[in-house]
Every structure is written in structure tokens, then in C-alpha cells.
């Protein structure tokens, strides 16, 4: 049943940049980059019930790794990706191990503190990161001798990477680990009793999330060709959190919808000038109150309810 | 005093109580007995308004309180000692009682003063400025009853007052409870332990699976307890 | 002579100034059904939490098949075969009945996040195994009709069944059951007793906490906990004749 | 397309109305109708930090840009066609700057780009314009090496080493002192500080006796200021984009002169400095209270429009538009972007300073262009000191 | 010379610490009263200060009246947040994370609202007392800062009195400790939660009003204030509003001593690291109380 949809989707996706203006292709590239980082945050939020505000740290690490490897060390870009992923993963492991013993609010705030510390260090270690001045002239990515130097080519590349990330996350969620994660989210105690290593699992997913953040950051660095601390502020961490929240944390299409929302809606609202911030804040409030499962989650619920009502036996339908 | 009819209630989609009906007369002590999970606590919560019934009516003194919110319902002369007492552990004994005093029913026929409850439970005077959580279970139960009495109720509902208490304390508390009738207070005693219930209640209802399955008439406790079949249905023995 | 499945030695525990358990000792011999009864608030839940590792006792020790559990986490105890249920069933509300049971079977497999992500043969094999086990358990517990229903929509009786089935899927050697019959009707309790009996016949050791005297009859030994102390132990029939137990517990 | 929600004069009016709220006297402006340009407007893109932390730079620049747009159109536009500056807000975010630049260049097909206001954003937007050789002028100084490789991104404020030299010139030649303490933030301040260190060998008589850094957005830096004070400097340089360090300097009773970098010259920061603004010396370009002869006309026009005194960023905004328009006027209507860009590569006389866009630093500003001012009761006073070559 | 530097660090640390404490108290009051971490507490301060500034500048009220107007506005804001936004969430039994996201949304909206309606200016209020500084061992502290410390002590005393000695305060505590127990003692639990938010709004506004003469307030500063306030509350123990005072002063001192003994640029790194370590090692905070579990 899903296949025809998928084919239509792929065709639309392939044709889209030819129809849209350059500006919108540009936004779509960012949507792809944000989708990858958002997938990680969505994994934590939707399947483990963990709010992380530290994704900007790993995004930054990916970006800096790519920038330093290619610009300062003049090494191939692929190495930048690998180093970014490994660095993000290792740091996530080291930080996650102690911090993920916390839960709820406290964990969210602890990740926020991590983001603040990292941001201060990005400024401070300007011998490494370039600080405010940043690192420029990051080379364009080359793929089999083909240089990705236009938004159009990068659009295809970034979305293919995003699709691979989605596939991997889908596998993870559908497999043994996914079941264990969702069990843990619903009842920590029951999961522990069933021999699910709750802490180890949380750390593992935190690392997965960080690695996705790293990949996303590397892509960002190569796309814009320039990185500086201005791109890795706390606003970015909040933005990465909003992506799964708005779209629907537990669903992969939800993350894509969230990423599209976050790239296109502020763009549309920016015509309102200073007023757009108010609208954006209110939109967030409305989503949290009225659509707790995000846009995609809420649509699914409606569909399901409609289905339930048409098929269920009387007495079972009403909730 | 209290009349309940056709009450259905539960949590979310889960209906626990089915068509519950009973009444408590003026000055009566009525016991509600039943096994664990029979729905006794759910009934208490419905009577207090902590959960909203999906059907049925709760009439207090000819006044329909089914939809009256808990805090206002308590001013119609109902007071309750909930399961696990639900005191405010960080606050002192005095502070716990003071909150009952300031929120009590005005103009009811019952009038309990702090001195009255201290006479009933001298421990209150002794421990009045210690935090409630530092008290023993029995002492806490006494504070909980005192708090309920200071609400000036003419109907007192008690959910498992004997839970986790030593028999000696239970006896002491039961003695006090029995004496409340003389102050014009009707009592609904919810108990798992039939022995305790039979000691002080005039009448009783037996609850199972969310329904009232048996009524014990005045003087009927002995025959109930000696009826193997009945006890078996209840104790499963 | 094998070591008992569970050997509880001199457990004492207090919360703040409130003593909950004092010097509790008893044994659960391997392959037996042992009961634990006592009035509400007598410390059964605390004891249960200590046994499975949620709480660290302030004194005393718990030996599991001859090994000290002091350094073992909840998960570690479960991995070597100790699974418990909860007084109010803790099912995974957002998961279907089948998925709940599959989570219970997780401990039979080992594949990690990476092999799952890459959907390696190993991960697929594990998932297939879990599904197979879940299928068998569903059949055994007669849950076919509820397979796809989210656990949140189950009645309390069904939740109990699901929790039991989920625990069973992990093939535990020692099952701790906390009030498994509460919320069940008489017929269901009877069925439950039969289940537990069969589990025991298959070699599973059971520790049963319940108020349900009917269910307690399947236990070979019953320990009576009263105010943090074991006041009596022996076969149920004997306990029902024991005057002290009659007084404090049965209230007669 | 009704995408601009207000026409330019209406918008200027709205801005002045908002400003009037703060200055209490309401100013009404009647636009002149003389030789208004007509026809399809020529679109110039502008990306400025209208919101976010960079707004202290972007908003004054916008006012200068809007004034210039209006003046150009009142004077007949370009070849009889009006110009239209499409202003986009990057919210002080480089990612936004990039997408906005793409939108302006590829969707709006602007003939040139103005802004953004801050380093990272400029580099990000430059990555779009430079490959196309689209004329691009920014209201900031060159501070990143990568900008040097871009041949069509011109700057109308001094590069950071020039800013650093301007600070050092005052200490070395006007005050003739040896011991200097520095209090700087970790963003803008850090960049200028780097330049200060790099050029310090040119001023061998001056020693940095204390260099204290604080993070952007800090609300209290008295301890850092106390550390600077403890080193007994003869003057303190404050390099920051907030009023906070100035308040701290005042509070810990640093009584030696304070020299501030141009970044804190806007009235917004002066307001945030409160009383501690007194006696702060700033090497800058435009002292609205006492303009140089060439600047008088602009200052008066600005006052008339907004009833406010302009500062450096307002003048920079004005100059940007004027240079862009000059290039458009001087090149044929069908000129390729590269031709316009190439035309710009020449000396320009601006309100703010004299430029030479042929220079390697893409501004060609000289130390001699700096004027030095001192804040007295919230007013800038021009000092007699100037660097002589 | 060095000792005066340490004295200066201590004075600055205490001044900042008291500011953090004021925000932290508001966070702790709301957390204790409703179990929600209010990420918009700093924005409450923002609103309080901005309302007072406009009451003085635009409406021409005197300073004391403007001050009161700011405080009252804070209370109203808190009440509106509870009634309009928190209530529907409580009704659908939203989880912790949802509340956190809700308050983040509120923070966004308020910050953007201040920007839109009041502009990007830095707002200051007149100092209490004089604008000058007191000199202690060659170090300085602003007279206003001394007043802030006094005011903070007074607020602590008033809070203590309110929560322990007045029936209303006791009822608010009772409703938060055990809602069922409170409802059956005739206390309107929902109204008490609204009052809690009003109290949080008041404390937030007071913090803003007291801080504005020291730190010029601008629309974007809410987040910084919230973060530092949360650290203060967390270090002191979230369930004890008085702990925020201790936590705030510890945080302020750690920050300013880090400037003297480590390096000023690492101030935030040190402060947030301390927070992390405390959260992991002493999760209930220094003055917090451990909730009894099990039994």
C-alpha cells in the first residue's frame, strides 16, 4: 500500500527544485540538514522521552571538524565527516554517561547547561574554532569527481543523506532497540525489570543523536562554506528541539514536516518584521496545548479516530 | 443524611463502580466492607468529588451534591479521612489543623473546637509543633481524624483507618470513633477488615467488583460472619 | 542440595525515622511457590523493591541462587532470571499487546543499536525470534484477539494478564508476583492460580504476595509479614489456624 | 505583489512616529514632490540585522539606507527610474543571511546587495554574491581573511586592524601613555583585541598591563573591571557592543580615561551606559553634534527626517546606497553585474569618510579619516585630535 | 591590591547572586506549587521592569506607583498564564516535557512581544537611594545593590511569613504537598495553583524591578536571567524557595571568584559545570529535601 505513495513522493522530490526558485531550494537544503539533526532529537524525545537541548553542540562539532580538517589541515572532506561523527559520538558518550542519570526537567536543564558551556568554549578556543571570525573557505563537497557547488546539486545530496539517516533511524526504531526504547519511555521500572539496560540504552541513543547532529553539522559546513559561533548558539539547540515537537517526535515523517515548518514558516513570517517572533511563540504554545503529538501525530490521531469510529464495535469507539 | 443512587464511576474509560446505591441515616454508623480491589476507595473518591461519576446521584441532606466540587462539597457537612491519611507532612500538626479550622463548614449543627479534638487525642497537644511526617502512623491517623472533625462534619467518611496500624492503636481510634455518634456525627467506615467493621458498625454493605452485593442489617453482623459461604465470597477461604 | 532461589537474610529498612522492615529473613527454595501475606502497610512493597533491586536495604542481604545480589542492578538480576510484576500493572501503554510481550522477550536476544540500524541479519534474526516467542506466549495466554490493541485500552484484568505474559516471555527462573489477583474476578483468579501452578510445574520458582487466600493455597509455604517482621510461616492451612495470624491479618 | 506592507515614505513616517514616542516631540514630515522618479523601480537588496543581538548595528543602518533611497528617488532616481531597496532581516543569524541573500539575488533579481551587518553573516551572504560578481557593499569592516579573496564585497567601515590602530594612535600620540588596560567581550571585542595584539609592535611604547575578557550578553563585569583597575593602567580600552563594561568601569572607580572602539558608538549603547558614558573617548567618523563640513548636509537631512542625530552606522547606510546608485548611474542600463562591481573599484567620497575600493582591504580608509569624540552628558563632543600622516 | 580584588569579587558575586536568587525564588515557588519549571520566569522580570519604565516615561507616574504597577502586572501575567495556558494542560494530564515546552513558548512570545511593543532599547529604572557606590576595603558596591540585598532579605522574610503564618499561604503549600488532602479540607486546589502562578509572577516582576537599575533590561535578556535563576534554585534545592538565596549567592560567588582565580572568559563554563556536578551528585540541592519514596 505504501509503495505508490513512495514513488510519487520521490518523483515530486526529484522535480521540486526545478519548479521552485533558488531561494526555496536553498531553504529545502537547510530543511534536509535540519531533518538529520532533528531525527536524533526526535529519537530521544519521541522514543525515550528525553528532552535534549544539546544538539547544537554536536551540530557544531560536526561543522568544526569538517572545517578544520579541510581548511586548516587540508585533508579530504570525507575525513571531516568521519572525524565529526566520531568526535560527536565520543563526547556524547563522555557527557551522556553521567548526565543521563537525570530525568525529566533536570535532564533537559542539564543538556542546556552543556550547550551553554560548549558555546562559551567555542568562543574561547578561537585558536581552534576561529571564534566570532570563524573558519571560511570550506571547500565544496566533491562526489566521484562531481563538485556539489550549486544548491540544486547539494539539494539532491543532502536529501539522499537525510533519506539514509531516516532509513537507519527507521530500522533502529523498528528493531529490538526501538521496542526497548519505547518500553523504557512508557515505564522505566517495568523496562528495568525486563532486563533492559535503561541507562546504557539512553546513553546509546544519546550517542546516535549526537552522531546525526555531527553529520548534519558537516553538511552545513560544506554547504555554506563558512562556520562561526554565530551558527551554534542556544537558539539553534531550541530550534532542533522544536523540529520534532512541531512535526511529531515519534514519527520520522513528522521530523521532516517539523524541519520544513522551521525553515519555511519563519521565512514567511519574517515579512511581519518584529511581530513574527510573537506569532512564532504563540504557534509553539498552540501546538503544545492543542497538538501534543505534533502536526503529523495529530493528523494520524484524527485519521485513526475516524477509522476507529467507522470500524469499531459500539462501546469501544469512544475515548 | 446521605443517599446514593445508581452511581457509576471510574478512571478515564475504565468504569470501576457499577450502579452503586445505598443510604446512611442520621446518627448511623455504616460500614462498607469488601476485598482489595472491590472499588471501595473509588467509591470514597466519588463521594468526595475527587472523581466525577458518569451516572447516578449523591444526595446529602436532600441537597444534590453530585456535581459540587470537592472543596465546596466539604462545606455541606461531609468530611473524609482518605486512605493513607493525606496529611501535609512538611507542615506541623498545628498547621494541618489550622487549615481545617479556616476552611470549616460555617453554621452547621456540629461544633468541634481545637480543645475538643485535643481531649480526644491528647497527642495533638504534645506534638503540635512538630512536622507531621515525623509522627508515627498511629499519631498521623489521629491528626487526620482531628483534621476531618475540625471541618465540622455531620457525616464522616473514613477509608481504611486501621491500615497498617497496631491493634492497640486501632482499638483506641475505634473507641473515639464510636463516641462521635454522641456528637451528632454519622459515620461511613470503609474497611477491608470485617472484624473491625463489625465491632462498631450498626449496619453494613458488602462490596465486590464495584457493586454492592450484600447488605448487613442491624444486628446481622454475627450471622454474616458465621455464614461460611458469605465469608468465603469475601475472604476467599 | 542446591542453594535456594532466594535467601533473604536479616533485611532491615527505614525511611527517614520510620522503620518499615526489621530483620526479615525467609527462603524461597528453588522450584517452589512461596507466599507472603500481611496487612496493608506491613512493608510488603518495600520488601519487594529490595528483593528486585529498586531499593538497597540498610541492613541484611539477599542471596539469589547462592550469589549475593548487593552489587547487582535491577537489570542484572533480571538477566539472571528474576522478574517481578507490580501491584498496579505497569504495562507499556503506548505499545500493542504483541509489542509489550516482545519487549519482555528482549532479554533473550543481544543485538545492539548499530546492528539494528543497519538491519544486519543478526538484528533481523533477533526480531524474528522475539516475534516467535511473543506469538507463542500470545497463544498460550489466549491473547490473540488483543494482539494489536494498545495496552492503554486494556481493562485492569487484561493488564494483569499482559504483565504476566510479558514476564513469562523472558523465560524467568524466579518470578515475583505483587498482588497478581487484585482486580480479577473469581473465575479469573481461579484461572490465574492454574497458570501459576503450570509455570511452577515447568520449573519456575514463584514468590507470591497476595491478599487473596484462595490464590495463596497454591503456595507451599506462606510467610506472614506484620509490622516489618515475619511473625509466622508455614502452609496456608496452618496459618489460617494460627491465632496470631487470625488476629492481625484475618481480623477474627 | 503587495509584499512590502508599507511604502517607503510611509515607513519612514512610521519609524519617526515610533522614535517620537521616545523623544516626546512629534515630528511630521511632508515629502517633497519635486521631480519624483517614475517607472519600474530598480531593485537593490539589503540584508540587515533588524532583530537579534546585531540590531544595534542594523537598525541605524536601515535608517540611513531608507533616507538615501528617498533622497535618490526625490532627485530623479537612476535614469529616471526610482530605486527600491528591499530590506530583509537576517535576525543576526548567518544561516538566515544566506537564504535571504539567495532570495534577493535569485528571486528578486536585485542589481546589488547591501549588508548584512555582522561578520559571520557577511561571509555567508558573500558566498552567494561573490561567484556572480554581484556588487555588494557592507556596513562593516573587513575582519576575516576569506573576505580578502572576494573581489566584489566592499566595506564602508574600517578593517579591524585600522580600528586597532586608531585606538593606539590616541593612546600613543594624544595621551602619550605607556600602560593600557583592556576590557573586551568575547565576540567583536575578541576580534579587535586580536588586531590590537597584531599591530602592537608598531607601538613599542605601549604595554597592555591587563587584558580582561567577558562573554557577550554578560550583565555584570565589575570583577573584570576591578582586575583591570588593579593593574594600574593609565588608560582603559573598552571594546564591546554593550553598555555593561562602561558601567562596571564607573562602578569600580577607574578614574583614568576610557577609550572605546567604534562598535559601541551608537546612541543605543550610550543610553545603556547611562551616566557612565561620561568622558568616554571614541575614535570614529561622524560626530552628529559637531559634524565636519562635508558631513553637515547629511546630518541636517537626517535630523529633518527622523528628528534624531545620526551616528556612524546611519552615515554608512547612506553611503552604501549612494555608492551603489553612483555605480548604477555610471554604467549602462544593461550592464552585467561584474561591470558594476568593477566600476565600484575606485575612490569614493562618502559622508562617513573617503574610500578607495581598489585597496586590498576593500575599503581604502585611512587613519586620517578618523575623528575622535568624547561623551559629555550623553552628547558627543568632537576632540581636536586627528591622526596626521 | 589583590585582597581588594577578592573583596570586589565577593561584593559583585553577592550582588549578582541576589539577582539570581530573586529569579530562582520565583522558579522554586512555581515548581513547588505546581511541579512545573517555568522557563519564562526571566520574561516575567522583563515584563515587570518594562511596565514600570513605561508607566514612568509614557504615562508619567511617579517611581513608587510605577514600581507597584510593574509588580501588579507581574501578578496578572502569572494568573493569566495559569488560567489560559496551564489549566488546559493540567486537564489533559500533560507530562513534564510538555510543560517545559509550553513555558519555552511563553518565553518566546513574551520576549518577542516586548521587542514589538517596547522596542529594542535598554530599559533602566532609577536607583533606590542614590546612584553612588559604597566603598568597602577599596572595593565598591552600588548603594542600590545594598538595597536589593535588603529587599531580597525582606522578600524572603515576607515569603516565609506568608507561607507559614497566613492561612492563604498555608493553603497554597497544602495544595501543592497533597492536592487530595487539600481538596477534602475545603481548599480550592485549582485556585491555589493560580495563586502560585500569581506569586511567581510577582516575584519575577520584583526581580526585574530591582535589577533594572543595576542591569539595563532588554527584550532578549529573559533567557539569561531564567538560566541563572534556575541554577540558583537548583543548587539551593528546587523545593525550597529559600534555598534559591543560598544557591544564588553561591552561584554569584563562584562566578566572580572564577574571574579572579581562573579566567574571566571561563566564568560561565565554571558556573554551569558547578550546576551539572550539583545536579548529578546532590539532586535534591543543598537545602532541598529528599522526597520519601516507597513504603
Amino acid at each position: 500500500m505504501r509503495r505508490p505513495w513512495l514513488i510519487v513522493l520521490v518523483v515530486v522530490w526529484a522535480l521540486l527544485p526545478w519548479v521552485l526558485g533558488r531561494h526555496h531550494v536553498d531553504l529545502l537544503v537547510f530543511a534536509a540538514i535540519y531533518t538529520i539533526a532533528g531525527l536524533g532529537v526526535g529519537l530521544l524525545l519521541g522514543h525515550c522521552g528525553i528532552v535534549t537541548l544539546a544538539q547544537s553542540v554536536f551540530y557544531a562539532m560536526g561543522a568544526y571538524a569538517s572545517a578544520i580538517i579541510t581548511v586548516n589541515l587540508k585533508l579530504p572532506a570525507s575525513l571531516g565527516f568521519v572525524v565529526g561523527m566520531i568526535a560527536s559520538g565520543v563526547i556524547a558518550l563522555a557527557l551522556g554517561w553521567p548526565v543521563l542519570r537525570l530525568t525529566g526537567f533536570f535532564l533537559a536543564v542539564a543538556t542546556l547547561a552543556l550547550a551553554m558551556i560548549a558555546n562559551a568554549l567555542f568562543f574561547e578556543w578561537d585558536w581552534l574554532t576561529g571564534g566570532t571570525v570563524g573558519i571560511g573557505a570550506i571547500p565544496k563537497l566533491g562526489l566521484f569527481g562531481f563538485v556539489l557547488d550549486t544548491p540544486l546539486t547539494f539539494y539532491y545530496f543532502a536529501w539522499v543523506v537525510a533519506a539514509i539517516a531516516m532509513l537507519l533511524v527507521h530500522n533502529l526504531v523498528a528493531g529490538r532497540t526501538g521496542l526497548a526504547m519505547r518500553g523504557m519511555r512508557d515505564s522505566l521500572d517495568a523496562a528495568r525489570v525486563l532486563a533492559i539496560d535503561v541507562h546504557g540504552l539512553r546513553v546509546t541513543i544519546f550517542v546516535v543523536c549526537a552522531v546525526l547532529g555531527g553529520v548534519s553539522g558537516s553538511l552545513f559546513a560544506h554547504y555554506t562554506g563558512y562556520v562561526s559561533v554565530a551558527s551554534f548558539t542556544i537558539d539553534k539547540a531550541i530550534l532542533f528541539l522544536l523540529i520534532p515537537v512541531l512535526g511529531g517526535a515519534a514519527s520520522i515523517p513528522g521530523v521532516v514536516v517539523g524541519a520544513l515548518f522551521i525553515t519555511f514558516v519563519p521565512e514567511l513570517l519574517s515579512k511581519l518584521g518584529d511581530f513574527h517572533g510573537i506569532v512564532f511563540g504563540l504557534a509553539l504554545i498552540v501546538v503544545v496545548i492543542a497538538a501534543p503529538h505534533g502536526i503529523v501525530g495529530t493528523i494520524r490521531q484524527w485519521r485513526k479516530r475516524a477509522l476507529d469510529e467507522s470500524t469499531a464495535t459500539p462501546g469501544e469507539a469512544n475515548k | 443524611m446521605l443517599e446514593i443512587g445508581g452511581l457509576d464511576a471510574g478512571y478515564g474509560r475504565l468504569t470501576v463502580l457499577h450502579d452503586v446505591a445505598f443510604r446512611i441515616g442520621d446518627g448511623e454508623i455504616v460500614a462498607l466492607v469488601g476485598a482489595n480491589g472491590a472499588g471501595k476507595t473509588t467509591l470514597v473518591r466519588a463521594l468526595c468529588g475527587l472523581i466525577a461519576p458518569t451516572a447516578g446521584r449523591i444526595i446529602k441532606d436532600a441537597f444534590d451534591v453530585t456535581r459540587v466540587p470537592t472543596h465546596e462539597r466539604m462545606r455541606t457537612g461531609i468530611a473524609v479521612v482518605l486512605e493513607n491519611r493525606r496529611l501535609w507532612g512538611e507542615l506541623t500538626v498545628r498547621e494541618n489543623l489550622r487549615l481545617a479550622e479556616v476552611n470549616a463548614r460555617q453554621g452547621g449543627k456540629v461544633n468541634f473546637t481545637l480543645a475538643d479534638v485535643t481531649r480526644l487525642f491528647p497527642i495533638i497537644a504534645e506534638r503540635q509543633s512538630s512536622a507531621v511526617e515525623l509522627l508515627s502512623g498511629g499519631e498521623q491517623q489521629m491528626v487526620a481524624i482531628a483534621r476531618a472533625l475540625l471541618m465540622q462534619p455531620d457525616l464522616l467518611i473514613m477509608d481504611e483507618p486501621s491500615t497498617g496500624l497496631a491493634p492497640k492503636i486501632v482499638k483506641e481510634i475505634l473507641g473515639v470513633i464510636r463516641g462521635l455518634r454522641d456528637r451528632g456525627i454519622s459515620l461511613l467506615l470503609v474497611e477491608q477488615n470485617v472484624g473491625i467493621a463489625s465491632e462498631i458498625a450498626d449496619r453494613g454493605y458488602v462490596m465486590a467488583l464495584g457493586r454492592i452485593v450484600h447488605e448487613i442489617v442491624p444486628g446481622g453482623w454475627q450471622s454474616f460472619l458465621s455464614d461460611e459461604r458469605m465469608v468465603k465470597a469475601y475472604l476467599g477461604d | 542440595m542446591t542453594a535456594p532461589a532466594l535467601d533473604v537474610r536479616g533485611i532491615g529498612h527505614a525511611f527517614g525515622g520510620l522503620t518499615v522492615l526489621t530483620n526479615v529473613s525467609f527462603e524461597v527454595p528453588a522450584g517452589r511457590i512461596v507466599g507472603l501475606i500481611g496487612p496493608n502497610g506491613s512493608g510488603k512493597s518495600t520488601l519487594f523493591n529490595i528483593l528486585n533491586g529498586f531499593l538497597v536495604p540498610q541492613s541484611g542481604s539477599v542471596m539469589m541462587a547462592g550469589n549475593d545480589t548487593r552489587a547487582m542492578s535491577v537489570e542484572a538480576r533480571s538477566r539472571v532470571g528474576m522478574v517481578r510484576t507490580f501491584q498496579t500493572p505497569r504495562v507499556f501503554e503506548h505499545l500493542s499487546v504483541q509489542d509489550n510481550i516482545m519487549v519482555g522477550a528482549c532479554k533473550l536476544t543481544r543485538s545492539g543499536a548499530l546492528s539494528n540500524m543497519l538491519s544486519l541479519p543478526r538484528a533481523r534474526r533477533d526480531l524474528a525470534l522475539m516475534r516467535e516467542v511473543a506469538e507463542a506466549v500470545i497463544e498460550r495466554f489466549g491473547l490473540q484477539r488483543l494482539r494489536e490493541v494498545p495496552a492503554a485500552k486494556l481493562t485492569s484484568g487484561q493488564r494483569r494478564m499482559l504483565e504476566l505474559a510479558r514476564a513469562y516471555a523472558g523465560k524467568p527462573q524466579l518470578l515475583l508476583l505483587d498482588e497478581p489477583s487484585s482486580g480479577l474476578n473469581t473465575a479469573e483468579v481461579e484461572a490465574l492460580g492454574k497458570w501459576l501452578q503450570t509455570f511452577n510445574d515447568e520449573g519456575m520458582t514463584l514468590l507470591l504476595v497476595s491478599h487473596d487466600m484462595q490464590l495463596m493455597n497454591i503456595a507451599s509455604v506462606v510467610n506472614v509479614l506484620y509490622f516489618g517482621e515475619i511473625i509466622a510461616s508455614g502452609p496456608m492451612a496452618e496459618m489460617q489456624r494460627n491465632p496470631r495470624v487470625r488476629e492481625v491479618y484475618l481480623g477474627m | 505583489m503587495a509584499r512590502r506592507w508599507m511604502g517607503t515614505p510611509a515607513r519612514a513616517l512610521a519609524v519617526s512616529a515610533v522614535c517620537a514616542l521616545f523623544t516626546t516631540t512629534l515630528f511630521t514630515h511632508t515629502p517633497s514632490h519635486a521631480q519624483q522618479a517614475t517607472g519600474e523601480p530598480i531593485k537593490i537588496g539589503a540584508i540587515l540585522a533588524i532583530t537579534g543581538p546585531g540590531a544595534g548595528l542594523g537598525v541605524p543602518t536601515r535608517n540611513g539606507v531608507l533616507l538615501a533611497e528617498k533622497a535618490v528617488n526625490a532627485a530623479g532616481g537612476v535614469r529616471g527610474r526610482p530605486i527600491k531597496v528591499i530590506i530583509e532581516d537576517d535576525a543576526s543569524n548567518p544561516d538566515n543571511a544566506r537564504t535571504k541573500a539567495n532570495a534577493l539575488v535569485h528571486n528578486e533579481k536585485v542589481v546589488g546587495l547591501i549588508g548584512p551587518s555582522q561578520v559571520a553573516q557577511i561571509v555567508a551572504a558573500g558566498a552567494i554574491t561573490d561567484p556572480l560578481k554581484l556588487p555588494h557593499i557592507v556596513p562593516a569592516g573587513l575582519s576575516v581573511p576569506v573576505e580578502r579573496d572576494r573581489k566584489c564585497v566592499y566595506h564602508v567601515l574600517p578593517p579591524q586592524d585600522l580600528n586597532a590602530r586608531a585606538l593606539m594612535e590616541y593612546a600613543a600620540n594624544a595621551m602619550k601613555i605607556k600602560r593600557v588596560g583592556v576590557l573586551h567581550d568575547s565576540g567583536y571585542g575578541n576580534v579587535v583585541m586580536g588586531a590590537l595584539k597584531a599591530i602592537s609592535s608598531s607601538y613599542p611604547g605601549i604595554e597592555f598591563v591587563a587584558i580582561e575578557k567577558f562573554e557577550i550578553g554578560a550583565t555584570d563585569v565589575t570583577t573584570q573591571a576591578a582586575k583591570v583597575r588593579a593593574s594600574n593602567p593609565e588608560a582603559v580600552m573598552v571594546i564591546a557592543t554593550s553598555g555593561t563594561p562602561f558601567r562596571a568601569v564607573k562602578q569600580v572607580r577607574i578614574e583614568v580615561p576610557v577609550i572605546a572602539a567604534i562598535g559601541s558608538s551608537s546612541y543605543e549603547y550610550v543610553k545603556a551606559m547611562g551616566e557612565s558614558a561620561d568622558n568616554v573617548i571614541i575614535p570614529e567618523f561622524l560626530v552628529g553634534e559637531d559634524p565636519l563640513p562635508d558631513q553637515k548636509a547629511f546630518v541636517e537631512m537626517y535630523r529633518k527626517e527622523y528628528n534624531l542625530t545620526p551616528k556612524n552606522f546611519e552615515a554608512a547606510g547612506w553611503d552604501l546606497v549612494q555608492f551603489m546608485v553612483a555605480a548604477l548611474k555610471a554604467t549602462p542600463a544593461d550592464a552585467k553585474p561584474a561591470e558594476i562591481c568593477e566600476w565600484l573599484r575606485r575612490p569614493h567620497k562618502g559622508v562617513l569618510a573617503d574610500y578607495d575600493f581598489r585597496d586590498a582591504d576593500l575599503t581604502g580608509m585611512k587613519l586620517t579619516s578618523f575623528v575622535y569624540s568624547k561623551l559629555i552628558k550623553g552628547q558627543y563632543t568632537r576632540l581636536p585630535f586627528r591622526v596626521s600622516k | 591590591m589583590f585582597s581588594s580584588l577578592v573583596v570586589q569579587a565577593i561584593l559583585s558575586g553577592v550582588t549578582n547572586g541576589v539577582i539570581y536568587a530573586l529569579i530562582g525564588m520565583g522558579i522554586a515557588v512555581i515548581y513547588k506549587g505546581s511541579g512545573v519549571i517555568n522557563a519564562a520566569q526571566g520574561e516575567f522580570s522583563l515584563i515587570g521592569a518594562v511596565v514600570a519604565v513605561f508607566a514612568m516615561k509614557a504615562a508619567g507616574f511617579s517611581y513608587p506607583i510605577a514600581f507597584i504597577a510593574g509588580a501588579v502586572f507581574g501578578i496578572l501575567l502569572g494568573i493569566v498564564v495559569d488560567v489560559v495556558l496551564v489549566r488546559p494542560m493540567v486537564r489533559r494530564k500533560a507530562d513534564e516535557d510538555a510543560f517545559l515546552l509550553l513555558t519555552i513558548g511563553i518565553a518566546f512570545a513574551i520576549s518577542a512581544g516586548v521587542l514589538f511593543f517596547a522596542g529594542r532599547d535598554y530599559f533602566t529604572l532609577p536607583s533606590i537611594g542614590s546612584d553612588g557606590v559604597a566603598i568597602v576595603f577599596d572595593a565598591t558596591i552600588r548603594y542600590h545593590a545594598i538595597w536589593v540585598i535588603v529587599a531580597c532579605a525582606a522578600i524572603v522574610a515576607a515569603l516565609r511569613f506568608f507561607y507559614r503564618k497566613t492561612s492563604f499561604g498555608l493553603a497554597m503549600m497544602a495544595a501543592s504537598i497533597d492536592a487530595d488532602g487539600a481538596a477534602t479540607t475545603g481548599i480550592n486546589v485549582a485556585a491555589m495553583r493560580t495563586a502560585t502562578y500569581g506569586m511567581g509572577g510577582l516575584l519575577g516582576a520584583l526581580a526585574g524591578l530591582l535589577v533594572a537599575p543595576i542591569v539595563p533590561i532588554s527584550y532578549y535578556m529573559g533567557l539569561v536571567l531564567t538560566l541563572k535563576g534556575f541554577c540558583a534554585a537548583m543548587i539551593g534545592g528546587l523545593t525550597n524557595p529559600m534555598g534559591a538565596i543560598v544557591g544564588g549567592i553561591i552561584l554569584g560567588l563562584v562566578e566572580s571568584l572564577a574571574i579572579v582565580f581562573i579566567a574571566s572568559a571561563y566564568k560561565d563554563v565554571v558556573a554551569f559545570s558547578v550546576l551539572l556536578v550539583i545536579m548529578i551528585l546532590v539532586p535534591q540541592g543543598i537545602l532541598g529535601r529528599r522526597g520519601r519514596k516507597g513504603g
Side-chain angles (χ1 to χ4, degrees), chain D residues 21-22 24 49-56 59 186 211-232 241-244 247-248 250-253 268-269 271-273 275, chain E residues 1 4-5 8-9 12-13 16 20 54 57 115 118-124 131 133 135 138-142 212-216 218-221 224-225 228 256-265 267-268:
Chain D
L21 265 178
F22 297 105
T24 66
I50 307 298
T51 57
V59 172
S186 54
I211 299 173
E212 285 299 317
K213 193 196 279 195
F214 56 90
E215 72 276 33
I216 294 174
T219 50
D220 174 76
V221 296
T222 45
T223 312
Q224 288 95 326
K227 270 180 103 174
V228 171
R229 178 172 184 255
S231 68
N232 275 325
T241 45
S242 80
T244 310
R247 298 168 72 91
K250 171 96 185 294
Q251 195 198 313
V252 302
R253 297 167 301 141
E268 185 184 339
Y269 297 134
K271 200 175 162 200
M273 291 179 208
E275 289 182 6
Chain E
M1 208 68 225
S4 88
L5 195 55
Q8 182 64 55
S12 304
N16 289 331
Y20 303 155
F54 273 76
K57 298 239 167 90
L115 173 63
R120 62 185 62 262
D121 277 30
Y122 289 87
F123 300 104
T124 56
D131 261 339
V133 294
I135 296 166
D138 203 35
T140 60
I141 182 165
R142 291 166 59 110
I214 307 181
V215 180
S218 189
Y219 72 97
Y220 63 85
M221 276 162 64
V224 182
L225 293 176
K228 291 294 169 71
S256 57
L257 292 174
I259 292 167
V260 177
F261 293 104
I262 301 173
S264 38
K267 186 189 98 177
D268 274 1

Side-chain angles (χ1 to χ4, degrees), chain E residues 5-214:
Chain E
L5 195 55
V6 174
V7 175
Q8 182 64 55
I10 291 171
L11 292 180
S12 304
V14 171
T15 306
N16 289 331
V18 168
I19 294 169
Y20 303 155
L22 282 167
I23 309 279
M25 267 197 283
I27 290 175
V29 160
I30 290 184
Y31 180 74
K32 197 173 159 59
S34 72
V36 171
I37 295 283
N38 178 22
Q41 188 67 21
E43 271 72 15
F44 284 8
S45 304
L46 190 57
I47 288 277
V50 168
V51 165
V53 167
F54 273 76
M56 282 179 78
K57 298 239 167 90
F61 289 119
S62 66
Y63 182 34
I65 293 183
F67 195 97
I68 292 166
V72 169
F73 207 88
I75 297 175
L76 293 178
L77 182 67
I79 290 173
V80 167
V81 163
D82 177 63
V83 173
V84 178
L85 305 175
V86 174
R87 248 177 220 194
M89 300 270 289
V90 171
R91 216 170 289 141
R92 77 161 166 82
K93 297 197 171 57
D95 55 14
E96 277 192 0
D97 304 337
F99 278 107
L100 185 68
L101 293 167
L102 174 76
T103 57
I104 288 176
I106 294 171
F108 262 128
I110 292 180
S111 168
V114 169
L115 173 63
F116 184 72
F117 291 107
R120 62 185 62 262
D121 277 30
Y122 289 87
F123 300 104
T124 56
L125 285 169
S127 299
I128 301 172
S130 85
D131 261 339
V133 294
I135 296 166
V136 186
F137 296 116
D138 203 35
T140 60
I141 182 165
R142 291 166 59 110
Y143 284 123
H144 179 80
I146 298 172
W147 280 110
V148 173
I149 294 169
V150 171
C152 190
I155 291 170
V156 170
L159 269 186
R160 230 190 140 66
F161 178 82
F162 176 75
Y163 276 113
R164 295 312 290 249
K165 301 292 171 209
T166 69
S167 308
F168 194 71
L170 275 174
M172 278 166 73
M173 283 240 296
S176 75
I177 300 169
D178 191 324
D180 285 352
T184 52
T185 313
I187 295 166
N188 184 344
V189 174
M192 292 303 122
R193 198 190 52 238
T194 305
T196 291
Y197 275 86
M199 177 65 86
L202 172 66
L203 286 172
L206 284 178
L209 292 164
L210 290 169
V211 168
I214 307 181

